[in-house]
């Protein structure tokens, strides 16, 4: 390779950090990239530094630092860029064309490079790209180095069943011990009921940790119902070498709320919780995996290119073709009888529930499979088509009510609202009670109000129907609310 100092070389360094969300470094602590070099820039060596938790936990800090070499000059003038990308090439943050004179063993960057809140990393991977060059002029040659740091992440999934839940007394404890490693890394969980404000009985789980080899562990609790749905109750993190090894996690349901919905949450008087533990003991691999050089457009540059052909297409049609292209899929949704290939980026963009699955170390992150055993093939397919194309096809009452349930489960609020609009248009005295039960179960206050208004405005037909008589027996409180509204109007 030519080392003519008059030639403006482009040095691109792509550092892929796998399982970045499990970086154990606390505030102000650093993770370092492998060393990379720039031969025609005085044979200089460079390194990237990140503070994963920043200096105040709200931002990720990023710096470029000049590393020592033999016979190095005291100062080097360069232009450089710093870019955060995800595994699909999307740019999350970039700072470009920074001119700086680097002294030996000194760095430059910012402690507020990228906000941590709202950071979406499919597969949990962050790619940090750095570009070095002598001048702002167009470069004639590219040297691209690829490096990887893999943070080892292990998972442990446990079911925690609390028998005879309704008989639990205040401060009575139900305990669970989770042995994470053979080295003595243990989590201890205690569930108990405490008297809360206004005499509500709050369910609390206290968690303590004893960490020997593990550097960082997340604990997530999930409430399971009899229909196969799972509701995340909360999440706690523990670090090794910290005095704070005890935390409390109030569940989102009070005891009275669970008892009022026994059929859904307390089958055989048993409270079913899931405990998801994900932890790291350190770096599994790090190093430079390859170097490319020549007169070519780098991977780094390609992420910024939008061709005229791409920009003139119909986005809806393009995304539908993306859905149909099975070769590019990187995950699978599985019902009892069928598998649906899909793309993590689309699922995460459309659903906060899928986003949580793929970015917080749950088993779906590893297996790339999501089991949806409580939904039909038709419902999952309709949900996917909507997520890719924003369209609904051949909708009828039964299919739209099932799609409403799916939309609520996965937090796709635009789809849930579309289902509500469709059902509102085809309400009848025969189906309004069914819809009201659906709205109450999914805590949809807006839909509930629409249905109550329909019943009040069509009181004679609805109250005289056989569906209303069945509804009154199984939903006495809801029926009483509506009769009160009717009485108030009369």
């Amino acid at each position: 390779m030519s080392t003519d100092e008059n030639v403006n070389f482009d040095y691109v360094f792509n550092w892929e950090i796998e399982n970045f969300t499990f970086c154990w470094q606390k505030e102000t602590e650093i993770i370092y990239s492998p060393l990379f070099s720039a031969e025609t820039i005085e044979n200089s060596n460079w390194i990237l530094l990140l503070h994963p938790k920043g200096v105040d936990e709200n931002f990720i800090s990023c710096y470029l630092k000049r590393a020592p070499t033999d016979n190095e000059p005291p100062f080097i003038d360069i232009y450089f860029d710093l870019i955060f990308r995800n595994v699909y090439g999307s740019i999350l943050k970039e700072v470009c064309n920074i001119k700086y004179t680097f002294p030996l063993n000194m760095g430059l960057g910012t402690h507020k490079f990228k906000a941590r809140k709202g950071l979406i990393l499919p597969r949990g991977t962050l790619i940090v790209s750095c570009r070095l060059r002598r001048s702002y002029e167009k470069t004639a040659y590219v040297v691209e180095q690829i490096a990887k740091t893999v943070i080892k992440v292990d998972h442990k999934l446990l079911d925690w069943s609390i028998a005879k839940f309704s008989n639990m007394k205040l401060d009575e404890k139900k305990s669970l011990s989770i042995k994470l490693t053979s080295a003595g890394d243990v989590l201890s969980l205690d569930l108990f009921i405490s008297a809360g404000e206004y005499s509500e009985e709050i369910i609390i789980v206290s968690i303590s940790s004893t960490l020997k080899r593990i550097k960082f562990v997340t604990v997530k609790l999930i409430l399971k119902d009899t229909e196969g749905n799972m509701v995340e109750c909360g999440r706690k993190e523990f670090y090794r070498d910290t005095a704070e090894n005890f935390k409390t996690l109030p569940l989102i349901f009070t005891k009275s709320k669970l008892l009022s919905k026994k059929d859904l949450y307390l089958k055989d008087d048993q409270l079913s919780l899931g405990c998801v533990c994900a932890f790291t003991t350190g770096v599994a691999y790090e190093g430079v995996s390859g170097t490319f050089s020549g007169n070519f457009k780098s991977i780094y540059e390609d992420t910024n290119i939008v061709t005229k052909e791409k920009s003139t297409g119909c986005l809806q049609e393009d995304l539908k073709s993306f859905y149909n292209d099975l070769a590019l899929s990187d995950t699978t949704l599985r019902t009892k009888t069928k598998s649906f290939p899909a793309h993590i980026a689309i699922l995460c963009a459309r659903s906060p529930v899928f986003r949580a699955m793929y970015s917080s170390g749950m088993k779906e992150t590893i297996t790339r499979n999501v089991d949806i055993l409580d939904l039909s093939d038709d419902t999952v397919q309709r949900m996917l088509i909507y997520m890719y194309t924003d369209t609904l096809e051949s909708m009828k009452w039964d299919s739209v009510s099932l799609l409403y349930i799916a939309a609520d489960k996965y937090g796709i609020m635009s789809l849930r609202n579309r289902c509500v609009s469709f059902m509102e248009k085809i309400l009848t005295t025969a189906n309004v009670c069914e819809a009201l039960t659906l709205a109450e179960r999914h805590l949809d206050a807006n839909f509930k109000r629409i249905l109550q208004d329909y019943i009040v405005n069509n009181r004679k037909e609805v109250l005289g129907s056989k569906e209303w008589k069945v509804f009154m027996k199984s939903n006495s409180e809801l029926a009483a609310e509506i009769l009160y509204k009717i009485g108030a109007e009369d």
Side-chain angles (χ1 to χ4, degrees):
M1 183 181 73
S2 169
T3 58
D4 185 350
E5 293 190 0
N6 294 319
V7 177
N8 190 24
F9 279 63
D10 213 346
Y11 287 92
V12 177
F13 182 67
N14 289 304
W15 177 29
E16 181 178 314
I17 309 171
E18 195 171 307
N19 296 320
F20 176 80
T21 49
F22 281 86
C23 285
W24 62 88
Q25 291 80 7
K26 298 189 284 292
E27 292 179 38
T28 73
E29 294 183 344
I30 299 171
I31 180 171
Y32 297 90
S33 76
L35 197 71
F36 62 102
S37 59
E39 183 179 351
T40 65
I41 306 179
E42 283 84 19
N43 285 311
S44 53
N45 286 338
W46 304 84
I47 196 167
L48 292 172
L49 289 69
L50 294 183
H51 295 292
K53 300 293 191 299
V55 295
D56 61 1
E57 284 199 347
N58 295 320
F59 291 87
I60 302 171
S61 306
C62 183
Y63 304 90
L64 171 66
K65 181 179 179 180
R66 184 182 165 200
T69 55
D70 296 334
N71 303 316
E72 63 273 353
F75 299 97
I76 293 179
D77 293 329
I78 63 165
Y79 285 83
F80 73 95
D81 306 343
L82 292 174
I83 294 183
F84 278 8
R85 297 185 289 121
N86 63 26
V87 290
Y88 299 111
S90 299
I91 293 176
L92 308 174
K93 176 71 176 183
E94 62 180 339
V95 177
C96 299
N97 297 319
I98 306 168
K99 184 180 180 181
Y100 187 66
T101 301
F102 278 87
L104 186 64
N105 213 30
M106 294 294 290
L108 182 70
T110 173
H111 69 277
K112 291 186 176 182
F113 187 79
K114 172 63 181 174
R116 288 171 52 81
K117 185 177 181 180
L119 181 66
I120 300 173
L121 294 176
R123 305 183 193 174
T125 298
L126 174 68
I127 299 175
V128 185
S129 292
C130 177
R131 177 186 178 193
L132 308 178
R133 57 204 179 282
R134 281 186 175 278
S135 72
Y136 188 69
E137 298 174 1
K138 183 178 180 181
T139 57
Y141 204 89
V142 177
V143 178
E144 185 161 6
Q145 299 171 65
I146 312 295
K148 177 177 281 193
T149 296
V150 180
I151 297 171
K152 185 181 190 310
V153 178
D154 294 308
H155 297 76
K156 183 156 286 192
L157 315 177
L158 291 175
D159 290 325
W160 188 11
S161 299
I162 311 296
K164 299 180 180 179
F165 174 78
S166 62
N167 294 329
M168 283 189 67
K169 308 298 183 184
L170 288 178
D171 298 323
E172 177 186 350
K173 291 185 177 181
K174 301 290 185 179
S175 301
L176 176 70
S177 180
I178 305 175
K179 185 178 179 181
L180 299 177
T181 72
S182 58
D185 297 275
V186 177
L187 292 174
S188 300
L189 287 74
D190 290 311
L191 182 144
F192 60 95
I193 298 172
S194 177
E197 199 173 6
Y198 308 116
S199 300
E200 281 278 11
E201 294 183 336
I202 303 170
I203 306 168
I204 297 175
V205 175
S206 64
I207 310 171
S208 62
S209 67
T210 303
L211 303 182
K212 305 293 186 181
R213 288 179 54 215
I214 291 173
K215 297 177 181 292
F216 173 66
V217 58
T218 66
V219 186
K220 186 184 300 181
L221 290 179
I222 296 170
L223 175 66
K224 303 179 180 180
D225 67 24
T226 56
E227 296 179 352
N229 298 311
M230 295 185 289
V231 179
E232 184 177 333
C233 299
R235 178 179 185 270
K236 293 295 179 182
E237 300 177 348
F238 293 91
Y239 294 86
R240 194 177 68 185
D241 302 327
T242 180
E244 188 182 5
N245 70 341
F246 177 84
K247 298 182 180 181
T248 58
L249 181 61
L251 300 193
I252 60 176
F253 291 92
T254 62
K255 182 179 180 181
S256 60
K257 184 69 173 180
L258 292 176
L259 291 175
S260 69
K261 296 182 179 293
K262 274 188 174 183
D263 293 341
L264 186 61
Y265 295 114
L266 297 174
K267 183 179 181 181
D268 300 325
D269 201 20
Q270 179 174 284
L271 176 64
S272 296
L273 298 174
C275 187
V276 182
C277 304
F279 55 91
T280 179
T281 53
V283 173
Y285 167 83
E286 61 181 348
V288 176
S289 56
T291 301
F292 306 88
S293 59
N295 298 308
F296 65 95
K297 286 185 171 67
S298 70
I299 296 172
Y300 168 101
E301 288 179 313
D302 286 342
T303 62
N304 297 305
I305 295 173
V306 179
T307 65
K308 187 174 293 185
E309 289 75 19
K310 287 182 181 178
S311 64
T312 56
C314 172
L315 179 61
Q316 191 178 79
E317 291 301 318
D318 288 345
L319 287 176
K320 190 167 186 177
S321 66
F322 194 46
Y323 168 63
N324 293 326
D325 191 346
L326 304 184
L328 295 176
S329 63
D330 52 8
T331 192
T332 302
L333 307 188
R334 303 187 302 192
T335 65
K336 291 180 180 179
T337 57
K338 192 172 180 179
S339 295
F340 296 87
H343 305 83
I344 293 174
I346 300 294
L347 300 184
C348 291
R350 299 289 268 169
S351 162
V353 176
F354 282 120
R355 183 187 309 165
M357 284 184 187
Y358 288 110
S359 62
S360 59
M362 293 180 70
K363 66 177 182 178
E364 291 82 4
T365 307
I366 302 172
T367 64
R368 295 285 186 268
N369 295 319
V370 180
D371 292 325
I372 308 178
L373 306 182
D374 56 326
L375 299 181
S376 67
D377 297 349
D378 180 72
T379 301
V380 173
Q381 185 168 5
R382 290 178 185 277
M383 180 178 72
L384 280 172
I385 289 173
Y386 177 83
M387 293 173 80
Y388 279 80
T389 68
D390 215 37
T391 59
L392 300 175
E393 300 178 352
S394 305
M395 300 301 294
K396 296 181 180 179
W397 179 266
D398 289 341
S399 59
V400 79
S401 59
L402 292 174
L403 192 57
Y404 171 91
I405 295 171
D408 186 72
K409 176 178 180 178
Y410 290 103
I412 313 170
M413 302 313 294
S414 61
L415 175 57
R416 194 178 83 161
N417 293 338
R418 291 274 293 276
C419 291
V420 168
S421 296
F422 181 89
M423 286 189 279
E424 183 182 2
K425 293 176 183 177
I426 57 172
L427 282 175
T428 66
T429 55
N431 62 30
V432 67
C433 292
E434 176 190 343
L436 187 55
T437 304
L438 196 63
E440 174 69 7
R441 172 167 289 186
H442 293 275
L443 306 177
D444 191 340
N446 179 59
F447 191 23
K448 180 179 175 181
R449 178 186 55 76
I450 292 171
L451 298 168
Q452 288 177 331
D453 289 345
Y454 177 90
I455 294 173
V456 170
N457 294 332
N458 298 274
R459 65 195 74 173
K460 185 176 181 180
E461 294 82 359
V462 175
L463 300 186
S465 68
K466 61 179 181 180
E467 287 80 11
W468 174 257
K469 292 179 175 62
V470 174
F471 177 78
M472 284 188 65
K473 291 181 180 179
S474 55
N475 298 275
S476 55
E477 289 186 15
L478 268 178
E481 280 184 40
I482 293 167
L483 293 174
Y484 178 81
K485 285 178 175 287
I486 292 173
E489 286 206 359
D490 291 343

